[in-house]
Amino acid sequence: MADSPWQALQGIGLSQSEGAAEEIAARVQRLILAQELTDGSRLPSERDLATLLSTSRATVSQAIRILVVKGLVESRRGSGAYVRMRPEVNLATSIDLMLDVEPGSVDALAELRLGLESTGIIKAIERATSDELAEAERALRRLDQSAGDAASWMSADTYFHATLIGASHNAYLASMFDGVHTALINYEYRAWIDKGTVPSWLEAGQIAALTAIHEPILRAVQKRDVDGALYAVRHHHEVMMQHLRASR
């Protein structure tokens, strides 16, 4: 890691407080937004980062979880964590602040997500290319292969939805959806961020059921079935609401 952007983190004088993970995540976020870390670049291992920062691996692990739920870092099972540069990060950050001020507004935010996804899916049915549908199929398989790894599943889930909404060929809609989705993921996974505790609905034995609520969305898009797609999106929304309520 010599002469790399990661050297900028060395000797930052981390406090050994509960806020150390947030401090690491904030500094890595600044490196990403300043484009000192390029899109798709692989992060050092947690062990290497812990050595570089003279901190514990548990602290680094929590920092990576923060970056994963923010959508700035993508976890790939068996491969590691990678930078994911997205222009809608600021939108997700702003929504996070709104949720902190008004936690009760999460239902309204989930309702907005449903509206954006419904619109995006209808447009994807109209406009998706065969290549985009093939990529969505790969995204679905990646979901199924992420059982037992919360970070990988979260990244795969976000990628699946982003791939389908991206097929709407409306960059503003896709960006808004991604920002709202990321903010909800951040809210939904707070216990995992703080403690590394996997929610019961995300345990390895539940992955098949979770994959099952995603597959009908893709199949309906492939068939150009608007009614079926909207039904599948609504069902996914209802399950997501159960998870959000369990997070409170």
Side-chain angles (χ1 to χ4, degrees), residues 55-129:
T55 190
S56 70
R57 186 168 176 176
T59 297
V60 170
S61 181
Q62 184 180 357
I64 297 299
R65 291 196 294 270
I66 293 170
L67 293 165
V68 166
V69 297
K70 284 187 173 184
L72 285 167
V73 166
E74 179 182 43
S75 177
R76 302 177 191 172
R77 189 171 190 185
S79 179
Y82 295 79
V83 172
R84 181 173 178 241
M85 186 61 192
R86 304 174 312 131
E88 60 277 2
V89 167
N90 288 337
L91 173 60
T93 300
S94 297
I95 295 172
D96 280 339
L97 291 174
M98 291 176 65
L99 282 175
D100 286 339
V101 173
E102 191 61 51
S105 66
V106 67
D107 287 0
L109 184 60
E111 187 176 85
L112 174 60
R113 182 195 179 282
L114 173 62
L116 291 170
E117 184 166 30
S118 298
T119 300
I121 286 295
I122 291 173
K123 294 303 178 185
I125 287 174
E126 296 174 3
R127 302 169 180 171
T129 66

Side-chain angles (χ1 to χ4, degrees), residues 8-197:
L9 298 179
Q10 196 167 27
I12 60 176
L14 285 174
S15 60
Q16 297 304 311
S17 66
E18 293 182 358
E22 287 80 2
E23 186 176 348
I24 294 170
R27 289 174 180 268
V28 174
Q29 177 173 323
R30 284 196 287 273
L31 287 176
I32 294 172
L33 296 181
Q35 298 187 19
E36 293 184 49
L37 296 174
T38 58
D39 188 27
S41 60
R42 189 178 186 278
L43 273 64
S45 68
E46 291 181 2
R47 182 178 60 187
D48 286 345
L49 278 176
T51 300
L52 180 69
L53 299 171
S54 300
T55 190
S56 70
R57 186 168 176 176
T59 297
V60 170
S61 181
Q62 184 180 357
I64 297 299
R65 291 196 294 270
I66 293 170
L67 293 165
V68 166
V69 297
K70 284 187 173 184
L72 285 167
V73 166
E74 179 182 43
S75 177
R76 302 177 191 172
R77 189 171 190 185
S79 179
Y82 295 79
V83 172
R84 181 173 178 241
M85 186 61 192
R86 304 174 312 131
E88 60 277 2
V89 167
N90 288 337
L91 173 60
T93 300
S94 297
I95 295 172
D96 280 339
L97 291 174
M98 291 176 65
L99 282 175
D100 286 339
V101 173
E102 191 61 51
S105 66
V106 67
D107 287 0
L109 184 60
E111 187 176 85
L112 174 60
R113 182 195 179 282
L114 173 62
L116 291 170
E117 184 166 30
S118 298
T119 300
I121 286 295
I122 291 173
K123 294 303 178 185
I125 287 174
E126 296 174 3
R127 302 169 180 171
T129 66
S130 57
D131 286 345
E132 288 168 334
L133 292 178
E135 185 59 31
E137 189 70 49
R138 286 190 288 271
L140 182 66
R141 289 201 300 270
R142 178 177 162 189
L143 258 182
D144 192 46
Q145 293 165 0
S146 298
D149 187 323
S152 294
W153 195 91
M154 188 187 313
S155 294
D157 175 61
T158 297
Y159 185 70
F160 173 81
H161 291 286
T163 299
L164 282 177
I165 303 305
S168 70
H169 292 218
N170 185 322
Y172 294 97
L173 173 62
S175 181
M176 289 179 65
F177 172 82
D178 207 340
V180 170
H181 177 82
T182 297
L184 282 170
I185 287 289
N186 194 4
Y187 184 94
E188 189 175 12
Y189 286 79
R190 282 181 178 177
W192 179 73
I193 295 171
D194 294 339
K195 302 175 183 177
T197 304

